[in-house]
């Protein structure tokens, strides 16, 4: 009987241990399912971080590469009032470009101003500017940092027909980062979807940068990357910064609707029917 009782006790201990392991494993798996975030949840936290700020300032390094045409780098300084969708963006060449794009460096000098209703894009080399209505779907190529009225909301992305997908995490500029794949399908036949990888700091949900391929109105594929160099949260910004006054002698020109800087996603060149 002693042997039977000892054996029975041992079996009970084994069953308890196995049961405990199964329970702990289930809790870990359940916890993993709860703790794992979706692409939309991660993106929403980026929005929350940005929208709770009164003012925001960031400096980006943007690189554009075109096959057989070379590359150009632009330094972009962004100053915004997130909740009012006001923005001031200065773009200027950073170093000499390569190939044919080296000659286009001067065209990289621009100033974009959003007063919350209208967007103005001034091209210094041409001493010309465009005035464009700021719409819910206004966006531009080159990454999330340069959207006309700030980082677009989930609703705005849906209007663009955008899809968000969570990719495996990686390291970006020394930071552990979430990677979101943003895909926007153009409304025009023959225009390929725009795909952009967005890199988000895991610790702070800061937007670290982006990379992707876009198509210009002329049909040329451009590989564009952006890297955050620095940022300031709630810096003092004068209201006058968000009001555009044309420089002396500047002429107004017509442009593509919805653009600030590079053309709007999926918009064919004027005069070219898809």
């Amino acid at each position: 009987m002693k042997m039977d009782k000892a054996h029975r006790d041992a079996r009970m201990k084994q069953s308890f241990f196995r049961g405990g392991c199964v329970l702990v494993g289930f809790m870990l798996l359940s916890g993993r399912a709860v703790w794992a975030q979706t692409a939309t949840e991660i993106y929403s936290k980026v929005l929350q971080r940005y929208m709770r700020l009164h003012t925001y300032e960031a400096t980006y390094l943007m690189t554009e590469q075109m096959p057989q045409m070379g590359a150009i780098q632009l330094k972009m300084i962004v100053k915004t009032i997130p909740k009012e969708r006001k923005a001031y963006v200065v773009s200027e060449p950073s170093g000499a470009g390569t190939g044919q794009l080296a000659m286009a460096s001067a065209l990289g000098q621009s100033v974009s101003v959003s007063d919350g209703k209208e967007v103005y894009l001034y091209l210094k080399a041409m001493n010309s500017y465009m005035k464009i209505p700021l719409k819910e779907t206004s966006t531009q190529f080159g990454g999330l940092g340069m959207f006309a009225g700030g980082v677009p909301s989930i609703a705005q992305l849906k209007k663009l027909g955008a899809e968000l997908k969570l990719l495996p995490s990686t390291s970006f500029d020394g930071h552990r980062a979430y990677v979101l794949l943003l895909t926007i399908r153009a409304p025009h036949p023959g225009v390929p979807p725009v795909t952009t990888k967005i890199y988000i700091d895991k610790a702070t949900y800061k937007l670290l940068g982006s990379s992707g391929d876009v198509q210009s109105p002329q049909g040329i594929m451009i590989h564009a990357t952006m890297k955050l160099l620095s940022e300031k949260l709630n810096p003092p910004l004068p209201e006058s910064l968000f009001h555009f006054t044309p420089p002396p002698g500047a002429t107004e020109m017509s442009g593509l609707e919805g653009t600030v800087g590079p053309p709007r996603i999926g918009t064919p060149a004027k005069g070219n029917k898809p």
Side-chain angles (χ1 to χ4, degrees):
M1 291 291 293
K2 280 188 176 182
M3 290 294 297
D4 290 341
K5 185 177 185 302
H7 182 69
R8 187 165 56 249
D9 290 345
R11 290 290 300 272
M12 288 177 68
K13 289 179 181 178
Q14 288 176 357
S15 298
F16 181 81
F17 179 76
R18 283 198 300 269
C21 288
V22 170
L23 179 60
V24 170
F26 176 77
M27 290 173 67
L28 289 173
L29 288 173
S30 299
R32 184 177 179 184
V34 171
W35 297 331
Q37 299 185 86
T38 65
T40 300
E41 290 170 339
I42 293 170
Y43 185 79
S44 294
K45 290 185 178 180
V46 175
L47 278 173
Q48 291 169 11
R49 178 183 185 268
Y50 177 72
M51 292 305 295
R52 69 169 174 250
L53 298 172
H54 176 62
T55 57
Y56 179 77
E57 180 177 337
T59 301
Y60 294 87
L61 182 65
M62 180 176 179
T63 303
E64 292 187 347
Q65 296 175 306
M66 299 185 191
Q68 302 178 343
M69 293 185 66
I72 185 174
Q73 284 191 325
L74 301 175
K75 182 180 179 180
M76 308 183 82
I77 300 174
V78 184
K79 301 179 181 183
T80 68
I81 300 179
K83 293 178 183 178
E84 297 180 24
R85 301 191 71 194
K86 294 180 179 179
Y88 176 84
V89 183
V90 176
S91 171
E92 58 184 25
S94 178
T98 62
Q100 298 179 42
L101 290 183
M103 298 181 290
S105 293
L107 296 176
Q109 294 180 298
S110 67
V111 176
S112 301
V113 179
S114 168
D115 59 13
K117 296 180 180 179
E118 305 286 342
V119 177
Y120 300 84
L121 170 63
Y122 172 69
L123 302 176
K124 185 176 180 180
M126 303 172 64
N127 197 24
S128 300
Y129 67 95
M130 290 185 288
K131 178 182 176 182
I132 310 141
L134 177 60
K135 293 187 176 181
E136 288 299 304
T137 56
S138 291
T139 184
Q140 72 164 39
F141 297 143
L144 286 177
M146 299 296 107
F147 285 86
V151 181
S153 66
I154 298 295
Q156 288 171 310
L157 290 179
K158 286 182 178 179
K159 285 185 178 181
L160 284 169
E163 298 175 2
L164 281 172
K165 180 181 179 182
L166 181 61
L167 300 181
S169 299
T170 188
S171 178
F172 186 89
D173 197 32
H175 298 262
R176 288 296 299 163
Y178 294 112
V179 184
L180 301 186
L181 180 65
L182 174 66
T183 301
I184 301 179
R185 306 190 185 283
H188 306 286
V191 179
V194 175
T195 58
T196 303
K197 289 182 179 178
I198 306 165
Y199 302 93
I200 299 163
D201 183 69
K202 280 194 166 186
T204 63
Y205 292 92
K206 174 168 58 179
L207 197 62
L208 299 172
S210 64
S211 65
D213 296 305
V214 299
Q215 181 174 298
S216 73
Q218 294 76 29
I220 301 174
M221 292 304 297
I222 304 170
H223 180 69
T225 62
M226 288 188 68
K227 185 173 80 169
L228 178 68
L229 301 181
S230 64
E231 70 171 4
K232 297 178 183 178
L233 307 184
N234 295 316
L237 298 177
E239 178 64 29
S240 59
L241 199 63
F242 307 103
H243 296 278
F244 178 75
T245 301
T251 57
E252 184 174 358
M253 59 181 179
S254 59
L256 293 173
E257 183 179 348
T259 53
V260 178
R264 181 180 169 189
I265 292 170
T267 303
K270 280 193 172 182
N272 293 346
K273 294 183 179 181

